[in-house]
Amino acid sequence: MNTFGNIFRLTTFGESHGACIGGVIDGCPAGLEIDADYVQHELNRRRPGQSAVTTSRCEADRVEFLSGICEGVATGAPVGFAVWNEDRRSQDYDVVKDAFRPSHADYTYQVKYGIRDPRGGGRASARETVARCVGGAVAKLALAQRGITVQAYTSRVGRIGLDGAYTDYDLGLTESNPVRCPDPDRAAEMEALIMETKSRGDTVGGIVACVVKGVPAGLGEPVFGKLHAALGAAMLSINAAKGFDYGIGFDTANLFGSEQNDIFYRDGERVRTRTNFSGGIQGGISNGEDIYFRVAFKAVATLATAQPTVDCDGRDVLLHVRGRHDPCVLPRAVPIVEAMAAMTVFDYLCLSAKNDRIFSSGLHGTF
């Protein structure tokens, strides 16, 4: 399962310490202008070595398009691309060739395939998400033509979190700090916590929140192709993602129906809701309001301190991994969450392309 999507599809390839990470985007609309600088900007947001709160691995992450684009415009053919790995220290992983890192994919990959690439985790490494950011950037360009935007931000690192909803913050401040939190004061606290955690050789998790604006009503299927289910599957495919909720999520368990129902009203030619507890999706189908959700990420499994484990023969060993790892994935997970959301929403737009009500302006959600 190396391919994501139905009509707009991304197939990724490559390992953390292989020659490159790459992909093929199929279903990219012919005529779409591919802004290479924008795509590179999205990769720069994800790349390692960008601040003290991320891994020290230093990769330029320059994308090289191989096919499907002529003079900056998608031709409708598959868009192939590669991002070359330039800063590899595979010897750092010699110690895990015969031992399993706790809570990592080492053991499960070994059990499933009978072989694994121990260098940086191979295919299980978050470096695979480089390709997702390329696909997501192309999807964002397509969504922008339809007035749809995707914005994610760090809402929690460990015990430090934002108290308000996305509407309470200026999301334009998200990129103003290395943690990617729109509240500068909380961002400083989060950064301090990450640095303190890093100094102890430990790691810390948190939450990324995301809002998608401008999605028309009518996207999604009523039973097994629900839009929120597709978003959930996309988010949970990201390395270290452990939980997903949308709208008010698990907080719904604390409320009566009278407290959480979104009341409809007529706003000119549109049907709107006075509140948005549903997170822009009802019955698995978008209702035209903002779609918002959260993704919980666990602390990185690979620590800079020794941990007990077992080797391939089942013997107890003390494992001390030397590689370069993020003390917290949240800052670099923000653009990855955006990428997966953009590809999911655009793919569902493509699935609904035959529905003229969705693609005709002013018709969705009308009387």
Side-chain angles (χ1 to χ4, degrees), residues 201-259:
D202 210 340
T203 60
V204 64
I207 295 174
V208 170
C210 185
V211 56
V212 187
K213 294 177 173 287
V215 177
L219 290 191
E221 303 302 323
V223 183
F224 296 116
K226 294 180 178 180
L227 181 57
H228 63 265
L231 285 168
M235 297 309 139
L236 293 174
S237 74
I238 302 173
N239 310 65
K242 300 296 285 186
F244 169 86
D245 71 356
Y246 73 102
I248 58 172
F250 280 92
D251 291 338
T252 189
N254 303 324
L255 302 176
F256 294 105
S258 58
E259 297 175 302

Side-chain angles (χ1 to χ4, degrees), residues 1 42 46 48 60 121-122 153 174 178 183 186 237 249 267 272 276-277 281 283 287 294 301 324 327 334 340 354 360:
M1 296 299 293
E42 292 298 280
R46 193 225 71 97
Y153 60 93
T174 299
D183 183 323
R186 287 296 173 87
S237 74
D267 180 16
R272 303 290 305 276
N276 190 19
F277 298 128
I281 303 173
N287 64 7
R294 303 183 303 172
R324 298 159 294 173
V334 167
M340 297 306 297
K354 293 182 180 180
S360 298

Side-chain angles (χ1 to χ4, degrees), residues 123-293:
R123 189 77 174 136
S125 169
R127 183 142 184 79
E128 180 270 342
T129 60
V130 169
R132 304 185 191 210
C133 285
V134 175
V138 172
K140 280 186 176 183
L141 290 171
L143 291 176
Q145 292 187 342
R146 294 160 174 80
I148 299 172
T149 61
V150 183
Q151 173 74 67
Y153 60 93
T154 298
S155 65
R156 174 170 293 277
V157 171
R159 64 179 181 274
I160 302 170
L162 301 182
D163 299 321
Y166 71 91
T167 52
D168 298 324
Y169 303 97
D170 177 3
L171 299 188
L173 297 175
T174 299
E175 296 294 319
S176 66
N177 57 77
V179 184
R180 294 199 165 95
C181 172
D183 183 323
D185 293 333
R186 287 296 173 87
E189 296 178 33
M190 292 174 180
E191 184 174 358
L193 175 59
I194 294 173
M195 294 305 295
E196 187 274 329
T197 302
K198 180 180 179 180
S199 70
R200 293 187 285 105
D202 210 340
T203 60
V204 64
I207 295 174
V208 170
C210 185
V211 56
V212 187
K213 294 177 173 287
V215 177
L219 290 191
E221 303 302 323
V223 183
F224 296 116
K226 294 180 178 180
L227 181 57
H228 63 265
L231 285 168
M235 297 309 139
L236 293 174
S237 74
I238 302 173
N239 310 65
K242 300 296 285 186
F244 169 86
D245 71 356
Y246 73 102
I248 58 172
F250 280 92
D251 291 338
T252 189
N254 303 324
L255 302 176
F256 294 105
S258 58
E259 297 175 302
Q260 62 181 293
N261 281 351
D262 292 317
I263 304 302
F264 291 109
Y265 72 101
R266 180 172 179 170
D267 180 16
E269 294 299 312
R270 289 193 58 187
V271 173
R272 303 290 305 276
T273 59
R274 298 193 182 280
T275 54
N276 190 19
F277 298 128
S278 301
I281 303 173
Q282 294 169 324
I285 301 172
S286 62
N287 64 7
E289 303 296 333
D290 292 348
I291 294 173
Y292 65 96
F293 58 85

Side-chain angles (χ1 to χ4, degrees), residues 45-59:
R45 295 173 66 211
R46 193 225 71 97
R47 74 176 181 85
Q50 59 185 278
S51 74
V53 298
T54 66
T55 173
S56 60
R57 180 171 178 172
C58 187
E59 295 280 2

Side-chain angles (χ1 to χ4, degrees), residues 71-92:
E71 298 181 347
V73 178
T75 64
V79 176
F81 62 88
V83 177
W84 301 95
N85 293 328
E86 299 173 342
D87 185 22
R88 293 171 284 174
R89 298 182 189 173
S90 301
Q91 67 274 12
D92 288 348

